[in-house]
Amino acid sequence: MNLDDFMLRATLAAIGTGLAAAPLGCFVVWRRMAYFGDAVAHAAILGVALSLALSLPVFAGALIVALVMAMAVTMLSGRGYAMDTLLGVMAHSALAFGLVAVSFLANVRIDLMAYLFGDILAVSRGDLGVIWVGAAVVLALVGWRWSALLTATLNPDLARAAGIEPRREQLVLTLALALVVAVAIKVVGVLLITAMLIIPAATARPFSRTPEAMAVIASCLAMLAAWTGLEVSYAADTPTGPTIVCVIAALFCLSTAVAGLRGAFAAGRRQP
Amino acid sequence: MSPLIETKGLTVRYGRTIVLDDVDLRIDRDEIVTIVGPNGSGKSTLLRALLGGVRAAGGQILRAPGLRLGYVPQRLSLDPTLPLTVARFLGLPRRVRSGDIHAALEAAGLADVASRQMADLSGGQFQRVLLARAILEDPDLLILDEATAGLDQRGAAAFYRRIEEVRAATGCAVLMVSHDLHVVMSASDRVICLNGHVCCEGTPEVVAEAPVYRALFGEGTQGALALYRHRHDHRHDHDTSHTRAAEAAQ
């Protein structure tokens, strides 16, 4: 395999990100954490600014700030403000502070678009390593805690009765989410990460009978969209990250339409 | 005999509000205990504390070593985005053999629904699936929180009869919280009347006659107590829905 080919590196990066994001995205959908994902992703731009200022690897800075953000939201929840208000405050403040912080670094201003929308064609061998190790850790984490996470998602007390501590599972999810954000910055950028989490899961829903099936189908769809989006963006000369998200969105529309037609057909057969 | 679970002086605060004050509770093997109390009396908090989900401000909770709990929640808010078959739900968090799944469904009084989606079940079927899952945990203690809230009286009575059968078959102890006073109390060995603290406890008859219980649930109001005593003191010839439900429960 020739990793000198930038298209091959980009393809592998996109597939790795999609593979890690999709199963985790199922939990984000089931637990209604979409806005939470947004807040954590937006905070990562602040992490990018800090790592550029301190000459740290961008991955590390983004991961740390995303984690701090996730912990802060988790701890602040249930203390007077409704969750969506709290997340709205945190998500947009983090983004604004991040953008202001980046503006202080005069020499990197041109790179801002790359972090907001991804710059997958510039993925290096090192980036690829980080992405795949990060993706493997996320998959291992979610796979290891799968049943416990699922039980805690259904009902915290049900989980406790079975000897599972829901707060610990929440922590596992938070950690995995921060990892995915840090991994996906290079691929789709902070503004579109939530799309990689949620849309494949939502697309898989009508064709799934079990949670596991939904995760597997979502992963396949995410990989398909990553590959197709990359090819389309190469052929049509469009920005790659947004193109990948456009492809997933198109798949979602298709899935919703098919599910709707199937429902109408089933209803028609019941009432001839 | 050592108790399955025991609280000593359990106190729970939410902010400055004292929800549970110095509660002593003890549950032994093989008994059915019911907690009754008005809204906001701390019933659900007490159950959650027993499950380990509430931090105690004082006192302690002692569990028998290796105690296995089966829990039937009041309801399960199933997000529509989560696809879940009955069989998969019963296998959470630990996978179980399909033979055990069928046995548990049968014990809970359900026909073959293993391959159905949870979201497609009726209220009564859903509650019985929750019961089946609790049975699969092979519990020493079965805890039910308002488990019949969504059922009509017939359904509730049938559900409690099922629980007595489960107790008879497995020998597990049962702890219930319920609003269906007249049905649930008749199925209990012991009733604990809770209102932040333990007001009184004893056999259903003793509790029903206790002044504190009457003060809480009313006597002249033709409330649950009136129905309860009505049913036990004498029997009417005409067939009301209450006596039907009561007979079904017995």
Side-chain angles (χ1 to χ4, degrees):
Chain A
M1 204 156 58
N2 181 12
L3 286 178
D4 291 336
D5 179 4
F6 77 95
M7 270 304 274
L8 181 63
R9 288 199 304 270
T11 309
L12 289 175
I15 287 178
T17 307
L19 200 58
L24 184 65
C26 289
F27 280 105
V28 173
V29 168
W30 295 333
R31 297 170 76 112
R32 307 192 171 192
M33 291 167 65
Y35 217 174
F36 184 84
D38 253 350
V40 173
H42 288 181
I45 200 75
L46 189 60
V48 169
L50 289 178
S51 33
L52 290 175
L54 302 172
S55 306
L56 286 169
V58 168
F59 174 81
L63 179 64
I64 290 167
V65 176
L67 257 183
V68 168
M69 180 66 161
M71 299 289 184
V73 173
T74 307
M75 277 192 283
L76 282 174
S77 65
R79 293 202 183 168
Y81 288 106
M83 194 65 174
D84 63 336
T85 306
L86 190 66
L87 285 172
V89 171
M90 303 280 278
H92 299 112
S93 315
L95 187 60
F97 276 106
L99 293 176
V100 169
V102 171
S103 77
F104 281 122
L105 311 164
N107 54 332
V108 295
R109 193 169 302 181
I110 41 164
D111 282 331
L112 193 54
M113 284 294 276
Y115 294 110
L116 289 178
F117 297 106
D119 189 10
I120 194 173
L121 299 182
V123 165
S124 67
R125 280 168 178 249
D127 293 334
L128 199 56
V130 167
I131 288 172
W132 272 88
V133 169
V137 170
V138 168
L139 279 178
L141 208 56
V142 172
W144 173 47
R145 304 305 306 167
W146 183 266
S147 277
L149 274 168
L150 206 51
T151 311
T153 299
L154 281 173
N155 185 305
D157 290 327
L158 203 66
R160 283 192 195 97
I164 296 162
E165 177 49 53
R167 272 173 298 217
R168 195 182 57 207
E169 305 308 323
Q170 168 83 42
L171 204 63
V172 167
L173 218 50
T174 304
L175 183 65
L177 200 61
L179 260 172
V180 161
V181 165
V183 157
I185 281 187
K186 196 82 185 178
V187 178
V188 287
V190 296
L191 293 184
L192 293 174
I193 288 170
T194 319
M196 292 292 281
L197 287 167
I198 289 171
I199 307 181
T203 309
R205 171 64 185 97
F207 308 102
S208 315
R209 287 185 50 77
T210 60
E212 290 76 16
M214 185 160 151
V216 170
I217 296 174
S219 302
C220 294
L221 288 170
M223 288 192 287
L224 174 70
W227 182 75
T228 314
L230 206 56
E231 293 295 321
V232 169
S233 98
Y234 187 71
D237 194 21
T238 50
T240 310
T243 309
I244 293 175
V245 174
C246 287
V247 171
I248 313 180
L251 287 175
F252 173 77
C253 293
L254 198 65
S255 148
T256 310
V258 168
L261 281 176
R262 201 177 51 176
F265 185 66
R269 264 199 311 199
R270 275 198 299 272
Q271 306 171 302
Chain B
M1 193 169 66
S2 65
L4 286 175
I5 200 162
E6 188 175 22
T7 71
K8 285 181 178 165
L10 179 66
T11 301
V12 174
R13 286 197 192 91
Y14 288 153
R16 285 186 189 167
T17 317
I18 295 178
V19 185
L20 292 175
D21 183 21
D22 196 21
V23 171
D24 292 331
L25 173 84
R26 174 193 166 108
I27 297 173
D28 289 316
R29 274 174 211 287
D30 208 29
E31 64 173 348
I32 298 186
V33 178
T34 296
I35 300 174
V36 299
N39 286 334
S41 61
K43 303 184 299 270
S44 292
T45 303
L46 179 54
L47 286 198
R48 201 163 296 137
L50 293 177
L51 293 171
V54 173
R55 188 190 297 254
Q60 49 183 342
I61 302 169
L62 304 169
R63 287 185 181 195
L67 176 73
R68 281 193 307 276
L69 297 174
Y71 176 60
V72 179
Q74 186 169 357
R75 60 176 169 272
L76 206 61
S77 50
L78 200 62
D79 198 279
T81 58
L82 177 56
L84 197 61
T85 58
V86 170
R88 184 66 191 100
F89 174 70
L90 293 177
L92 277 176
R94 282 168 281 276
R95 297 267 181 184
V96 285
R97 288 194 304 269
S98 68
D100 293 342
I101 284 178
H102 289 287
L105 283 175
E106 211 157 282
L110 278 168
D112 193 20
V113 295
S115 62
R116 300 257 306 268
Q117 286 285 310
M118 290 289 287
D120 295 339
L121 299 178
S122 73
Q125 288 174 324
F126 201 101
Q127 285 312 114
R128 278 182 284 177
V129 169
L130 291 179
L131 178 63
R133 205 203 73 94
I135 295 170
L136 274 170
E137 298 269 344
D138 190 18
D140 305 306
L141 174 61
L142 193 57
I143 297 181
L144 301 99
D145 184 8
E146 302 276 6
T148 58
L151 306 182
D152 60 16
Q153 274 202 332
R154 269 182 102 84
F159 190 80
Y160 289 124
R161 197 167 60 239
R162 188 65 67 181
I163 285 167
E164 285 185 80
E165 285 170 20
V166 167
R167 194 263 302 251
T170 65
C172 65
V174 180
L175 176 65
M176 299 189 274
V177 155
S178 183
H179 275 116
D180 305 319
L181 292 183
H182 43 294
V183 180
V184 77
M185 282 173 69
S186 68
S188 310
D189 300 322
R190 195 151 59 86
V191 175
I192 295 168
C193 178
L194 191 73
N195 189 22
H197 59 281
V198 176
C199 300
C200 58
E201 71 175 291
T203 62
E205 291 75 18
V206 167
V207 170
E209 294 297 325
V212 279
Y213 177 85
R214 293 190 185 193
L216 277 176
F217 290 100
E219 190 171 22
T221 57
Q222 296 297 307
L225 174 63
L227 287 170
Y228 177 78
R229 294 181 63 214
H230 177 83
R231 191 166 56 73
H232 274 254
D233 294 350
H234 59 281
R235 198 169 280 272
H236 285 268
D237 291 334
H238 59 259
D239 191 14
T240 67
S241 64
H242 290 306
T243 49
R244 261 210 304 274
E247 277 157 13
Q250 281 160 1

